[in-house]
């Protein structure tokens, strides 16, 4: 569960972020899965935006040249996916 309270950020913007992330995931980009409710991805309660996310693994503690190359390829793939969407 992720609770967000950012000044100037609306529930609609959080909803759009979640939709974008989910569109990337459905296009084959490995990223967090957003759980959808009846109302959408984002619930708003008392000024907080609440989302449910399923993590895809632990963060990196180190980076190698090979991993940096993979990250670059992933960023290019994400860019191409965004343009196609």
């Amino acid at each position: 569960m992720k609770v967000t309270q950012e000044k100037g950020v609306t529930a609609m913007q959080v909803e759009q972020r979640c939709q974008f992330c989910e569109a990337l995931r459905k296009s084959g980009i490995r990223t967090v899965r957003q759980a959808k409710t009846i109302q959408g991805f984002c619930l708003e309660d008392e000024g907080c935006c609440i989302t449910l996310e399923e993590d895809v693994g632990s963060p990196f503690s180190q980076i190698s040249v090979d991993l940096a190359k993979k990250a670059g390829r992933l960023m290019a793939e994400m860019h191409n996916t965004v343009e196609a969407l």
Side-chain angles (χ1 to χ4, degrees), residues 9-24:
V9 176
T10 66
M12 180 56 76
Q13 289 170 314
V14 173
E15 177 72 21
Q16 289 171 340
R17 288 179 192 171
C18 293
Q19 289 174 7
F20 175 72
C21 186
E22 194 62 12
L24 285 177

Side-chain angles (χ1 to χ4, degrees), residues 10-58:
T10 66
M12 180 56 76
Q13 289 170 314
V14 173
E15 177 72 21
Q16 289 171 340
R17 288 179 192 171
C18 293
Q19 289 174 7
F20 175 72
C21 186
E22 194 62 12
L24 285 177
R25 192 184 71 76
K26 287 181 178 178
S27 297
I29 305 294
R30 189 173 173 228
T31 186
V32 296
R33 185 180 72 78
Q34 304 289 334
K36 193 166 187 178
T37 69
I38 294 171
Q39 298 175 17
F41 293 106
C42 177
L43 301 174
E44 188 174 22
D45 188 28
E46 296 187 27
C48 294
C49 297
I50 303 164
T51 55
L52 298 174
E53 301 176 351
E54 182 181 327
D55 198 357
V56 293
S58 60

Side-chain angles (χ1 to χ4, degrees), residues 74-85:
L74 176 61
M75 289 175 65
E77 186 178 338
M78 289 173 70
H79 177 79
N80 292 337
T81 301
V82 169
E83 284 187 339
L85 292 173

